[in-house]
Amino acid sequence: MPKRVLDFRSDTVTRPTPGMRKAMAEAAVGDDVFDEDPSVHALQERVAELLGKEAAVFVPSGSMSNQIGVRVHCDPGDEFICESGCHIYNYEQGAYAQLSGLATRTVDGACGVLQLEQLTGLIRADNEHLCRTRLVCLENTHNRGAGKIQPYDVVESICDWAHANGLRTHLDGARLFNAVVASGINARDWAQHFDTVSVCFSKGLGAPVGSALVGTKEHIKKARRVRKLFGGGMRQAGIIAAGALYALDNHIERLAEDHANAKKLGDAVGDIPGLKLIGDAVDTNLVIFHVEPKLGTAAEFCEKLKAAGLLMLAIGAQQVRAVMHLDVDEADTARACEILGEVAAAAPGVKVTAGADVHY
Ligand SMILES: *Cc1c(COP(=O)(O)O)cnc(C)c1O
């Protein structure tokens, strides 16, 4: 039998479990653009309730959910403030500009974490030369920040300041449930500071497709219009909504296993000469590490890992990302640690010219 490849590239690579497939196969469906799909309704109600908001809308992807979120709060010519490593700014093709005519003001954070003092001078004056500052976007957990959990008091202070100054707030919570499980702070408490929150079902929760945007009834009414505008109106979407609902019922608590595995991998990386962990700690399910040039570039290092049956992602010239998820267990993680050590210990071999810099 061929050896199973250990895939640590992303928590998007999971495949639906038999239980999830069964729930999907049996889902009641209707036309969701007509707002008549009972499974989509059930999911939307569940997510709104979990996050303590009035309403939710089911969408195909986290990128769409974010882009609908910013569009709900901003009109063309408006500007939003965000951290410079965030997904909305870096990994969505500048869709806020392409689709909505928005400008952005980026601020460098520490592992994705901004401090209020960095933002207080950034709201533009009411002057016809200038963009209108409308929105602040945060990301929790932070992908480029190596899965960092935003400090709760920082989130609170930034959002309070934004609201006191007439700005809206949006949370990219693609991995919010990782933050919930690791911090013990519930989803409602995190979400209460934001006007809209996007959550993904297709990352650590293990569903094949889908994200949701939550907010007030008013915001979600507008979001449904924008979803249709962006081509995200789906028909018998209950089949995939049932997978997402199953994930909420069965796959939240188990994220703690991913976090425990990530800590083990992080510890192993710390002990391997030539590799260095990025970030002060492993908070959740992501591990990002620096590869010393003597071991080759990140792309070359990943090529060697691949030859040994382990997939990780080069996310910079010398940076590699590993992500724990539903389809890798403790034994897989232990094996991944061994392979990392063996590959790092071996003298640099293959020279690969493949480009680095792939990220999701
Ligand atoms: C994965 C991800 C998204 C959305 O991804 P899609 O592939 O569009 O579903 C958004 N934000 C963050 C932080 C992510 O990691």
Side-chain angles (χ1 to χ4, degrees):
M1 212 172 79
K3 231 171 45 194
R4 197 174 127 244
V5 173
L6 304 176
D7 195 345
F8 284 75
R9 289 172 301 167
S10 175
D11 42 9
T12 56
V13 302
T14 57
R15 268 154 297 196
T17 60
M20 183 181 280
R21 284 179 185 271
K22 184 164 185 290
M24 295 173 74
E26 291 170 359
V29 296
D31 187 322
D32 182 49
V33 174
F34 291 162
D35 205 6
E36 289 174 357
D37 188 303
S39 299
V40 172
H41 286 168
L43 174 65
Q44 289 173 168
E45 279 160 28
R46 180 76 195 289
V47 179
E49 156 77 20
L50 251 181
L51 294 171
K53 300 291 184 197
E54 285 176 3
V57 60
F58 185 47
V59 300
S61 72
S63 299
M64 187 182 284
S65 188
N66 280 330
Q67 293 303 324
I68 294 172
V70 299
R71 179 62 170 265
V72 161
H73 303 302
C74 301
D75 295 318
D78 289 348
E79 181 181 69
F80 65 91
I81 297 170
C82 63
E83 198 278 326
S84 52
C86 78
H87 198 279
I88 293 177
Y89 178 62
N90 291 283
Y91 306 129
E92 299 178 13
Q93 289 190 18
Y96 54 87
Q98 296 205 55
L99 300 177
S100 299
L102 306 181
T104 183
R105 189 90 176 263
T106 57
V107 182
D108 291 340
C111 280
V113 176
L114 296 173
Q115 299 297 330
L116 176 59
E117 307 77 72
Q118 296 177 275
L119 308 187
T120 47
L122 299 186
I123 300 177
R124 295 185 190 272
D126 183 7
N127 173 314
E128 69 182 52
H129 294 84
L130 306 174
C131 290
R132 289 161 304 205
T133 312
R134 275 287 170 83
L135 172 71
V136 177
C137 296
L138 298 180
E139 183 174 310
N140 195 21
T141 66
H142 200 287
N143 179 14
R144 284 298 298 207
K148 176 111 185 132
I149 302 171
Q150 298 281 344
Y152 187 82
D153 56 336
V154 171
V155 169
E156 190 169 40
S157 69
I158 289 176
C159 293
D160 285 353
W161 164 82
H163 290 135
N165 287 280
L167 306 182
R168 302 261 186 82
T169 55
H170 170 77
L171 176 64
D172 177 353
R175 296 189 181 85
L176 181 63
F177 292 108
N178 293 90
V180 166
V181 168
S183 67
I185 298 170
N186 71 39
R188 282 174 166 245
D189 286 339
W190 285 113
Q192 67 176 331
H193 303 291
F194 297 91
D195 295 291
T196 50
V197 179
S198 166
V199 292
C200 291
F201 309 114
S202 58
K203 294 267 164 86
L205 294 184
V209 188
S211 289
L213 183 74
V214 300
T216 62
K217 282 195 178 125
E218 220 21 56
H219 287 150
I220 298 308
K221 190 171 171 217
K222 191 171 175 191
R224 285 187 70 91
R225 275 194 70 79
V226 180
R227 180 182 70 166
K228 195 74 178 70
L229 172 69
F230 290 174
M234 298 179 284
R235 301 299 178 175
Q236 284 68 36
I239 290 181
I240 51 174
L245 202 49
Y246 182 93
L248 290 176
D249 286 338
N250 295 284
H251 295 166
I252 293 182
E253 296 310 320
R254 66 148 306 284
L255 292 171
E257 294 170 33
D258 298 343
H259 302 164
N261 289 333
K263 282 207 167 61
K264 282 180 194 150
L265 191 83
D267 287 345
V269 164
D271 290 340
I272 296 172
L275 305 183
K276 190 171 177 300
L277 205 59
I278 290 179
D280 36 20
V282 174
D283 274 6
T284 54
N285 69 324
L286 269 71
V287 175
I288 299 182
F289 58 89
H290 176 86
V291 179
E292 273 184 24
K294 71 176 184 210
L295 300 181
T297 64
E300 287 164 348
F301 189 74
C302 287
E303 241 357 90
K304 290 184 219 167
L305 295 178
K306 188 176 173 184
L310 174 61
L311 304 181
M312 290 184 177
L313 207 60
I315 62 164
Q318 298 300 140
Q319 273 185 28
V320 173
R321 188 185 78 167
V323 189
M324 317 301 124
H325 53 77
L326 191 58
D327 288 3
V328 289
D329 62 14
E330 202 181 336
D332 295 334
T333 307
R335 181 68 192 126
C337 296
E338 282 170 19
I339 294 174
L340 272 179
E342 287 160 13
V343 167
V350 286
K351 281 274 175 248
V352 181
T353 47
D357 266 274
V358 188
H359 343 237
Y360 338 102

PDB file of all heavy atoms in Angstrom, residues 132 237 260:
ATOM      1  N   ARG A 132     -13.411  58.835   2.990  1.00  0.00           N
ATOM      2  CA  ARG A 132     -14.101  58.781   4.281  1.00  0.00           C
ATOM      3  C   ARG A 132     -13.693  57.504   5.004  1.00  0.00           C
ATOM      4  O   ARG A 132     -13.823  56.409   4.440  1.00  0.00           O
ATOM      5  CB  ARG A 132     -15.619  58.769   4.066  1.00  0.00           C
ATOM      6  CG  ARG A 132     -16.174  60.100   3.584  1.00  0.00           C
ATOM      7  CD  ARG A 132     -17.532  59.891   2.965  1.00  0.00           C
ATOM      8  NE  ARG A 132     -17.457  58.901   1.882  1.00  0.00           N
ATOM      9  CZ  ARG A 132     -18.301  58.840   0.865  1.00  0.00           C
ATOM     10  NH1 ARG A 132     -19.298  59.676   0.793  1.00  0.00           N
ATOM     11  NH2 ARG A 132     -18.166  57.924  -0.074  1.00  0.00           N
ATOM     12  N   ALA A 237     -28.738  24.924  -1.573  1.00  0.00           N
ATOM     13  CA  ALA A 237     -27.507  24.983  -0.785  1.00  0.00           C
ATOM     14  C   ALA A 237     -27.620  24.223   0.526  1.00  0.00           C
ATOM     15  O   ALA A 237     -26.629  24.079   1.251  1.00  0.00           O
ATOM     16  CB  ALA A 237     -27.143  26.438  -0.524  1.00  0.00           C
ATOM     17  N   ALA A 260      -3.362  21.051  20.659  1.00  0.00           N
ATOM     18  CA  ALA A 260      -2.355  20.245  21.369  1.00  0.00           C
ATOM     19  C   ALA A 260      -1.306  19.720  20.385  1.00  0.00           C
ATOM     20  O   ALA A 260      -0.100  19.747  20.672  1.00  0.00           O
ATOM     21  CB  ALA A 260      -3.046  19.089  22.099  1.00  0.00           C
TER      22      ALA A 260
END
